[in-house]
Amino acid sequence: MAILRLESTSDALREAIRLLHREARQIEAARNIARFYGEDGAPGPLLDGLVTEADLAAADAAEF
């Protein structure tokens, strides 16, 4: 309670319920994503395939 600067037990319980509710929403979102994409899982970011090793080497060699 002190770390969160909560003044009463009611405030602490309210915060605990809020955090539990947020975690439950996150878990449900993860389950929905897993259901949608199935065993293969969600795809990675689109930009991952666009940047090559040569691009990274050129960026490392660039002088600003």
Side-chain angles (χ1 to χ4, degrees), residues 23-45:
E23 184 175 353
R25 286 191 319 253
Q26 291 171 345
I27 291 169
E28 184 60 24
R31 286 181 181 154
N32 287 338
I33 291 169
R35 255 191 308 271
F36 181 81
Y37 287 106
E39 291 182 15
D40 294 334

Side-chain angles (χ1 to χ4, degrees), residues 10-49:
S10 292
D11 290 340
L13 290 172
R14 193 175 302 113
E15 182 64 12
I17 291 169
R18 187 186 70 77
L19 292 172
L20 284 171
H21 187 255
R22 184 173 79 183
E23 184 175 353
R25 286 191 319 253
Q26 291 171 345
I27 291 169
E28 184 60 24
R31 286 181 181 154
N32 287 338
I33 291 169
R35 255 191 308 271
F36 181 81
Y37 287 106
E39 291 182 15
D40 294 334
L46 293 176
L47 295 179
D48 280 355

